[in-house]
């Protein structure tokens, strides 16, 4: 069994000190040697050694020492040694210690008295403590507060012992007298804590008698007062009215810790709007005044909880919450924005968007190194605001379009996606957005942003001027054609140059067109002799822009997007331009650009040739411009936008469903008591109490007081630990709550004998830790006992709890052991479905290093049924849109996402196909930042994927 001790120190057992050496050092007169010897002895004892031969030596040579360090080490030594024999009787040599402790309690030095009193708080042997009680009580009236506060703690510890009430019958009365006369705040706090733990009624009476003085008490005492109020109000909710007045009076305390505890207590005890407003105001005050980032994050968590239960009150505090954006910490900024976005209403949307615009403009100064990431979060927040309230889009869209050329590619992509969605949902802004986009297009430097912007230009340039401007902008950004040429090295080289360039010179004997260095064409005379170098890239003039530079790096996917955009613009030009000459001219220019891109892709000037997909796409555009039918024109000019509108509507529908899923639905039972507020007696009730009564009635009427637990579900979580034929039957109800696992074990004695020293011994495997070992019990014949065991969880990993029940009987001398079945803690208790954007999913997929690849092996023959089965088995959220899963093509790919209670991300990609024999094949890939969640989730999928329950 583990022993509790306040002294923990690392000691290398590889070279343990010999007991005789320690004994010699203790017998000597050198104080420093004694200190070192005592430290070595304590370290050996803590590492499992017994050293019984040292006890008498320590009594003879260490007890009389006057050195404070030696005395402190002596008390640590006395704390960890065994004071009882195998039968539980106190060892006779402990009498020697009692005399020394009594002398220390009467010692003239205050430090010796204080540490001895503190040592008594950790003694459990009443035989040792009983002779010392008169000396302990004398110290309650000592002149020094250090001794008085430790004496009060010692009295509380003695009174809480199994037979402590018999040792100190009138301890609460004595401490109450001390409390009324004590002036030291720390001692006063210890005295009130003693009454709180040992005689709650006296503590309550003292508090109510001194209500007017509570605000003048010290911080430590006020914290204990709040703890007492919470405990009293949980047991008797009817009395919380008079205590809430005390809490509200403490909201103006100078201590931030007290203010925070007051707000937390208010929220836990009352749902009255006045109390919630006071708590929210206090949290916002702490959020702004505190500089510690950890404190800010904790306060934001509390505000998030308030938002979930009292949204209508938190709406009024949204601007106070947004003031936390002044912190440079990204985690704080993200939490602040998440809370604020859920509190937006038509009344405050204008103020919120104005605040976010100011923050976006602040990020342009470039002083902070993470301005790009912060700007990305702000852009996403503004995007959400504009989607919820389209009327504010006009005030932000032009500002955000300045960031299309942002060096932070992620924020630039967010802006492009935002503009794409706004131009569809706000038709009135189409003209201004297109004009601004064409003006700023040359600033864009990222290929993905260019692709999105080109799609917008191709779809939403509708008028003649817009179409012509769109074509002109693309031509300008592409620069002069061609993209590469065979450049001349000289028109009339000298003889020397001829000789030096003889291997590469070519004699031209006829008139032929030549491409000059500036990209223009010229006719070369037959008599000239010109030397040509291998093909080289033509960078173009200074007017050439972003598209040219991206194409010359080999990005032919962007080239395919340029071709598609030009095709759409030319097709639309045919509809809006009456002059066929202009249409043919634009079509010829577009064809020339496309052919030049294909030639560039097939030339040796680039290290990587054009890919097949891009080549086919550009070639398709060339064919369309050469011969276009009405059906093809309809597909290119109408169907693309219809698909985009459908995608937006599905996205909005999905967000609506998520909001409905988050909404907590509760129902009242038909036979519940109904309280009529207007018929109640209001005599002596304050406004706060009246409001609280109304809120309680509303909660009772809507069923909010009813717990969600389903009895059938509880029965499913009961695990049988022993067999029916075992002398002791045991079963456990497992409750997983965040970081804690609670085992509620029912033990039944099925024999006719009394079981003595019955103990539930548990051990864990994995990242589980037993908090405390259950104590021994005596179980009468055919009786039962409820034993609770708490286990801490430190990571998302499948764990195993195993152990046995040990007991003794009067008939059998040896202990009987009943081995228990293993309890497997399911990873599904730790993870819950979550949502993230496709971009965030791809980023995490690239960053996470742990991957578990599971081959598909199932009897399920439908791809969608298998996907639904995996989602149900893993408790994850499918990020792939339902429309992307429609149809029956024999292939299916989907992304799943979940988040653990520890903040860990779990990513799953399912890629399956149906074979000719009807069976499914493929792989399920799991990625996470930690190894545990990847392995545990893989094991779960392997177990469940065959279609079993």
């Amino acid at each position: 069994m583990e022993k509790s001790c306040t002294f923990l120190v690392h000691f290398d057992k590889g070279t343990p000190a010999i007991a005789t050496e320690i004994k010699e050092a203790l017998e000597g007169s050198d104080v420093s040697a004694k200190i070192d010897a005592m430290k070595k002895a304590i370290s050996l004892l803590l590492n499992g050694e017994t050293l019984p031969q040292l006890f008498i030596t320590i009594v003879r040579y260490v007890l009389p020492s006057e050195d404070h360090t030696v005395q402190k080490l002596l008390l640590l030594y006395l704390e960890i040694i065994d004071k009882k024999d195998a039968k539980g009787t106190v060892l006779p040599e402990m009498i020697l210690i009692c005399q020394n402790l009594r002398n220390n309690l009467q010692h003239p030095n205050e430090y010796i008295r204080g540490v001895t009193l503190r040592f008594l708080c950790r003694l459990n042997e009443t035989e040792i403590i009983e002779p010392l009680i008169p000396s302990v009580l004398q110290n309650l009236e000592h002149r020094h507060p250090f001794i008085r506060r430790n004496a009060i703690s010692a009295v509380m510890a003695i009174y809480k012992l199994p037979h402590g009430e018999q040792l100190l019958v009138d301890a609460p009365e004595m401490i109450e007298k001390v409390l009324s006369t004590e002036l030291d705040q720390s001692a006063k706090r210890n005295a009130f804590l003693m009454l709180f733990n040992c005689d709650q009624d006296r503590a309550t009476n003292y508090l109510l008698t001194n209500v007017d003085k509570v605000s003048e008490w010290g911080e430590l005492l006020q914290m204990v007062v709040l703890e007492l109020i919470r405990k009293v109000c949980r047991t008797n909710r009817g009395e919380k009215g008079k205590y809430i007045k005390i809490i509200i009076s403490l909201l103006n305390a100078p201590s931030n810790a007290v203010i925070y505890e007051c707000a937390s207590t208010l929220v836990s005890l009352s749902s009255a709007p006045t109390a919630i407003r006071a708590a929210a105001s206090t949290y916002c005050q702490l959020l702004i005044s505190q500089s510690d980032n950890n404190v800010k994050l904790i306060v934001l968590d509390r505000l998030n909880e308030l938002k979930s239960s009292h949204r209508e009150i938190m709406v009024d505090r949204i601007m106070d919450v947004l003031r936390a954006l002044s912190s440079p910490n990204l985690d704080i900024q993200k939490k602040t924005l998440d809370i604020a976005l859920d509190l937006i209403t038509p009344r405050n949307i204008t103020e919120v968007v104005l605040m976010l615009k100011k923050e976006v403009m602040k990020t342009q100064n470039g002083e902070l190194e993470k301005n790009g990431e912060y700007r990305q979060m702000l852009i996403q927040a503004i995007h959400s605001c504009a989607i919820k309230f389209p009327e504010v889009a006009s005030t932000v869209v032009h500002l955000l379009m300045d960031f299309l050329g942002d060096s932070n590619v992620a924020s630039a992509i967010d802006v492009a996606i935002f503009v794409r969605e706004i131009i569809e949902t706000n038709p009135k802004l189409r003209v201004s957005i297109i004009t601004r986009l064409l003006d700023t297009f040359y600033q864009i430097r990222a290929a993905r942003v260019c692709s999105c912007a080109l799609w917008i230009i191709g779809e939403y340039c509708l008028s003649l001027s817009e179409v012509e401007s769109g074509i002109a902008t693309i031509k300008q950004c592409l620069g002069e054609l061609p993209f590469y040429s065979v450049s001349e090295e000289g028109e009339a080289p000298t003889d020397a140059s001829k000789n030096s360039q003889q291997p590469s010179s070519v004699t031209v004997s006829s008139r032929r067109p030549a491409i000059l260095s500036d990209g223009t064409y010229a006719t070369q005379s037959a008599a000239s002799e010109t030397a040509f170098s291998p093909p080289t890239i033509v960078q173009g003039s200074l007017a050439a822009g972003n598209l040219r530079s991206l194409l010359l790096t080999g990005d032919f996917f962007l080239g395919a997007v340029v071709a598609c955009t030009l095709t759409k613009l030319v097709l639309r030009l045919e509809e809006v331009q009456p002059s066929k000459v202009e249409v043919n001219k634009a079509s010829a220019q577009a064809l020339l650009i496309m052919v030049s891109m294909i030639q560039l892709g097939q030339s040796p000037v680039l290290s990587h040739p054009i890919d097949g997909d891009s080549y086919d796409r550009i070639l398709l555009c060339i064919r369309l411009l050469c011969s276009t039918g009405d059906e093809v024109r309809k597909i290119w000019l109408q169907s693309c936008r219809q698909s985009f509108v459908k995608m937006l509507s599905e996205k909005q529908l999905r967000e609506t469903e998520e909001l409905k899923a988050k909404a907590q639905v509760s129902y009242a039972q038909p036979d519940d008591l109904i309280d009529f507020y207007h018929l109640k007696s209001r005599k002596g009730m304050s406004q706060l109490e009246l409001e609280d009564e109304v809120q309680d009635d509303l909660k009772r009427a809507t069923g909010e007081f009813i717990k969600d637990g389903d009895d059938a579900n509880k029965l499913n979580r009961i695990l049988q630990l022993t067999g029916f034929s075992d002398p002791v039957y045991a079963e456990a109800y497992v409750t997983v709550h965040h970081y804690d696992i609670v085992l509620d074990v029912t033990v039944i004695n099925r024999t006719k004998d009394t079981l003595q020293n019955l103990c539930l011994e548990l051990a864990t495997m994995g990242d589980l830790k037993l908090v405390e070992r259950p104590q021994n019990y005596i179980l009468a014949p055919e009786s039962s006992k409820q034993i609770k065991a708490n286990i801490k969880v430190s990571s998302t990993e499948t764990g195993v709890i195993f152990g046995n029940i040990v007991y003794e009987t009067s008939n059998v001398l040896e202990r009987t052991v009943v081995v228990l079945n293993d309890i497997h803690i399911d990873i599904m208790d730790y993870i819950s479905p979550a949502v993230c954007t496709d971009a965030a999913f791809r980023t995490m997929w690239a960053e996470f290093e742990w991957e578990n690849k599971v081959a598909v092996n199932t009897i399920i023959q439908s791809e969608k049924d298998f996907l639904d089965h995996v989602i149900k088995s893993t408790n994850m959220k499918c990020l792939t849109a339902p429309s992307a899963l429609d149809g029956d093509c024999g292939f299916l790919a989907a992304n799943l996402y979940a988040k653990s209670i520890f903040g860990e991300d779990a990513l799953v990609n399912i890629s399956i196909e149906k074979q000719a024999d009807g069976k499914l094949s493929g792989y399920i890939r799991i990625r996470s930042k930690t190894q545990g969640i990847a392995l545990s989730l893989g094991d779960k999928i392997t177990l469940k994927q065959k279609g079993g329950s």
Side-chain angles (χ1 to χ4, degrees), residues 574-592:
E574 294 177 3
E575 297 180 349
V576 297
Q577 174 61 268
S579 173
K580 294 296 182 182
V581 176
E582 294 295 330
V583 174
N584 291 336
K585 182 180 177 182
S587 179
Q589 290 173 343
L591 287 171
L592 180 59

Side-chain angles (χ1 to χ4, degrees), residues 481-482 514-522:
L481 297 178
I515 304 171
L516 302 183
S517 59
D518 60 352
T520 60
Y521 290 85

Side-chain angles (χ1 to χ4, degrees), residues 527-548:
S528 64
E529 184 182 81
T530 307
F532 294 98
S533 65
T536 58
I537 290 175
V538 179
Q539 297 295 342
S541 63
L542 295 175
N546 46 358
L547 291 181
R548 188 183 190 92

Side-chain angles (χ1 to χ4, degrees), residues 65-291:
S65 176
E66 294 291 333
D67 185 79
H68 291 179
T69 305
V70 173
Q71 286 296 320
K72 187 174 181 178
L73 291 171
L74 171 64
L75 294 176
L76 289 171
Y77 170 80
L78 295 177
E79 183 180 344
I80 61 176
I81 62 171
D82 292 325
K83 304 172 192 65
K84 293 183 178 180
D85 56 17
K87 297 181 180 179
T89 307
V90 176
L91 296 171
E93 54 264 31
M94 290 298 127
I95 302 300
L96 300 172
I97 297 176
C98 287
Q99 183 61 40
N100 176 261
L101 294 176
R102 186 186 294 111
N103 294 337
N104 283 353
L105 291 174
Q106 298 171 357
H107 200 280
N109 184 277
E110 290 85 359
Y111 176 78
I112 297 295
R113 284 198 189 201
V115 294
T116 306
L117 288 166
R118 191 180 299 170
F119 166 72
L120 293 182
C121 297
R122 296 186 286 272
L123 275 185
N124 298 320
E125 291 74 23
T126 54
E127 294 88 346
I128 300 175
I129 291 175
E130 188 173 3
L132 306 175
I133 289 177
S135 300
V136 173
L137 297 178
Q138 287 178 6
N139 284 306
L140 289 174
E141 301 175 357
H142 195 275
R143 60 180 179 80
H144 203 286
F146 174 70
I147 294 175
R148 293 200 303 273
R149 77 174 74 118
N150 283 296
I152 294 169
S153 299
V155 169
M156 179 173 66
I158 295 170
Y159 192 80
K160 289 170 70 175
L161 289 174
H163 303 289
E165 296 181 11
Q166 299 174 8
L167 299 176
L168 288 169
V169 180
D170 55 347
E173 297 177 14
M174 287 188 296
I175 297 299
E176 188 177 15
K177 291 178 182 178
V178 171
L179 182 60
S180 59
T181 58
E182 183 60 60
L183 298 177
D184 181 70
Q185 294 296 330
S186 183
K188 204 167 186 176
R189 176 256 182 194
N190 287 359
F192 190 80
L193 184 63
M194 188 273 174
L195 294 180
F196 167 49
N197 287 313
C198 302
D199 195 338
Q200 190 172 309
D201 292 336
R202 286 183 186 273
T204 305
N205 292 335
Y206 178 80
L207 175 61
L208 297 177
T209 307
N210 297 274
V211 169
D212 299 333
K213 300 178 182 178
V214 173
S215 57
E216 301 172 3
W217 291 348
E219 174 187 349
L220 296 174
L221 183 53
Q222 288 174 344
M223 297 287 278
V224 181
V225 166
L226 291 171
E227 182 62 33
L228 172 66
I229 291 173
R230 281 196 291 267
K231 187 174 181 180
V232 171
C233 293
R234 285 195 198 102
T235 55
N236 189 358
R237 295 184 64 86
E239 294 186 0
K240 65 182 178 181
K242 52 189 175 185
Y243 294 109
I244 286 179
K245 297 175 185 176
I246 300 175
I247 299 172
I248 292 179
S249 68
L250 287 176
L251 284 174
N252 299 320
S255 169
N256 290 323
V258 173
I259 294 173
Y260 174 81
E261 287 297 328
C262 281
S264 301
T265 307
L266 266 181
V267 174
S268 64
L269 298 183
S270 174
S271 54
T274 304
I276 300 303
R277 285 192 191 95
S281 176
T282 302
Y283 284 142
C284 291
Q285 177 187 342
L286 289 171
L287 185 62
I288 298 163
S289 62
Q290 293 300 301
S291 59

Side-chain angles (χ1 to χ4, degrees), residues 829-895:
D829 294 321
Y830 305 140
I831 67 173
S832 57
V835 179
C836 72
T837 62
D838 291 339
F841 186 93
R842 285 193 295 268
T843 303
M844 289 188 287
W845 187 268
E847 291 177 353
F848 291 173
E849 57 183 3
W850 291 104
E851 177 175 310
N852 191 2
K853 193 173 182 180
V854 179
V856 173
N857 181 17
T858 179
I859 59 174
I860 301 173
Q861 295 190 346
S862 169
E863 303 98 317
K864 292 180 184 176
D865 290 345
F866 180 74
L867 174 63
D868 294 338
H869 178 68
V870 172
I871 292 172
K872 182 179 177 182
S873 302
T874 56
N875 196 26
M876 301 187 82
K877 173 75 175 177
C878 181
L879 300 182
T880 307
S883 60
L885 302 173
D886 287 344
D888 188 11
C889 64
F891 297 91
L892 185 144
N895 292 331

